[in-house]
Amino acid sequence: MTKIQDFITAKEKLSKVLLKTSLIQSPIFSKEAGNEVYIKPENLQKTGSFKIRGAYNKITNLSDEEKKKGVIASSAGNHAQGVAYGAKESGIKAVIVMPKSTPLIKVESTKQYGAEVVLHGDVYDDAFKKAKELEEKEGYIFVHPFDDEDVIYGQGTIALEILEELPETDIILVPIGGGGLISGIACAAKILKPEIKIIGVEPDGAASAYEAIKEDKVVELKEANTIADGTAVKKIGNITFEYIKKYVDEIITVSDYELMEAFLLLVEKHKIIAENSGILPLAALKKLKEKIKKWYLS
């Protein structure tokens, strides 16, 4: 059973590598939502996203024997850089398999952290299969982007920071891709403050968690079609599904049009450029029933 100590231990380990991302109170989104809204700017982390948390926690928890084998991951971006950074800090080998369609800037950023990059296939699923082949063949340790307890504990450290800074938080809105981020945040937040409400947000075109909860089992969508590419996941994890079922109160879906509206407002009013996946909670604000509450958006 997951204990709060799992998240506290992860937070202690991460203290060496994380940048402090203090909450930003948002007058414009507060007005739009009829609530007091705060933004957690995880795009300011060293690798550009929260993914450094889970990847680093997983890698530091490997045994010396496992570290000698090196790690492998498949990713088109943020997870790749998180794993590459974590491996570099631990002084171990990292191989990242990326689809051939990955933007050059993300490939180069991953290489700059010392990782070996293998370009394979046209989509993420192809890269994932190749990574699993190399894991089998070379004996690497596979670092899953979301369906892993250590990764989940790392991502959940965000909840500890929010409740430390703003203990009166009523609701936390979290984007859902594979489910690692919301699993960690929801579990840690509910242990610390059982009455807190956790709302997941998915794109209309890739609502795999919404469908899984509706069907009460993990389902694979026919396609994942959205501008929020970081959450374009056809199938959530088996581990994350159990966390979501247990700790998440509600899932809201938003359209690509609603995402673009929120993106432009964030740029105009806060001068913050964020990935579409990170903007999902902002796009969901208009759809909330609750009013005059304190909100945090991951």
Side-chain angles (χ1 to χ4, degrees):
M1 188 183 162
T2 303
K3 301 178 288 296
I4 197 63
Q5 192 56 47
D6 296 318
F7 297 101
I8 293 167
T9 302
K11 188 171 184 271
E12 285 163 0
K13 288 178 179 176
L14 284 162
S15 64
K16 302 169 195 161
V17 296
L18 287 185
L19 297 176
K20 190 177 180 186
T21 54
S22 298
L23 297 175
I24 299 168
Q25 204 272 341
S26 175
I28 184 67
F29 285 108
S30 295
K31 188 179 176 186
E32 274 224 322
N35 284 288
E36 196 177 330
V37 174
Y38 293 78
I39 297 165
K40 177 85 165 158
E42 280 292 288
N43 56 322
L44 302 179
Q45 288 299 347
K46 288 173 187 172
T47 58
S49 91
F50 70 89
K51 290 278 188 179
I52 187 176
R53 294 173 183 263
Y56 186 84
N57 191 52
K58 170 70 177 177
I59 289 167
T60 54
N61 281 339
L62 296 176
S63 67
D64 291 341
E65 198 56 45
E66 287 171 322
K67 284 179 181 174
K68 281 177 196 164
K69 295 176 180 179
V71 293
I72 189 163
S74 51
S75 168
N78 293 330
H79 180 60
Q81 291 171 65
V83 172
Y85 182 88
K88 183 188 173 190
E89 289 294 303
S90 295
I92 65 174
K93 181 180 180 177
V95 178
I96 314 291
V97 187
M98 306 177 102
K100 289 176 185 171
S101 56
T102 304
L104 187 61
I105 190 165
K106 288 192 174 181
V107 174
E108 289 304 317
S109 297
T110 306
K111 283 181 178 174
Q112 278 171 11
Y113 290 121
E116 179 189 322
V117 174
V118 175
L119 295 174
H120 180 84
D122 299 315
V123 293
Y124 170 77
D125 293 329
D126 299 332
F128 175 77
K129 282 173 193 160
K130 183 67 176 174
K132 295 302 279 182
E133 277 172 31
L134 289 170
E135 175 196 20
E136 188 72 28
K137 185 182 168 191
E138 305 290 342
Y140 299 128
I141 303 297
F142 186 76
V143 181
H144 201 285
F146 49 83
D147 214 27
D148 181 289
E149 297 276 2
D150 285 329
V151 170
I152 288 168
Y153 299 151
Q155 321 300 32
T157 56
I158 288 175
L160 305 189
E161 291 172 15
I162 294 162
L163 290 171
E164 200 174 289
E165 194 177 346
L166 198 72
E168 63 271 32
T169 301
D170 296 304
I171 301 170
I172 303 179
L173 289 96
V174 191
I176 305 178
L181 177 65
I182 195 165
S183 293
I185 288 177
C187 179
K190 291 272 188 182
I191 292 172
L192 288 172
K193 191 176 180 179
E195 72 275 19
I196 202 164
K197 187 170 184 182
I198 308 293
I199 299 175
V201 190
E202 285 187 299
D204 283 341
S208 52
Y210 182 86
E211 288 301 320
I213 293 299
K214 197 168 82 174
E215 299 290 329
D216 198 27
K217 64 179 181 184
V218 176
V219 293
E220 185 164 357
L221 305 175
K222 288 194 178 83
E223 60 175 6
N225 188 10
T226 172
I227 57 170
D229 60 322
T231 48
V233 176
K234 288 195 278 187
K235 184 180 175 184
I236 61 168
N238 293 314
I239 297 170
T240 58
F241 172 62
E242 295 303 326
Y243 274 86
I244 290 168
K245 219 165 53 161
K246 187 172 181 181
Y247 297 110
V248 176
D249 298 288
E250 186 185 345
I251 297 174
I252 293 172
T253 64
V254 296
S255 68
D256 282 357
Y257 177 79
E258 288 164 327
L259 268 176
M260 285 317 301
E261 267 191 330
F263 174 86
L264 293 170
L265 203 54
L266 186 66
V267 171
E268 185 190 345
K269 300 297 182 183
H270 284 285
K271 304 298 182 277
I272 293 173
I273 295 176
E275 290 183 38
N276 291 317
S277 300
I279 293 163
L280 282 163
L282 291 172
L285 285 171
K286 290 178 182 174
K287 300 189 171 186
L288 298 168
K289 306 173 197 84
E290 293 86 355
K291 296 292 171 194
I292 319 303
K293 300 237 174 190
K294 283 189 172 59
W295 303 73
Y296 145 76
L297 302 107
S298 167

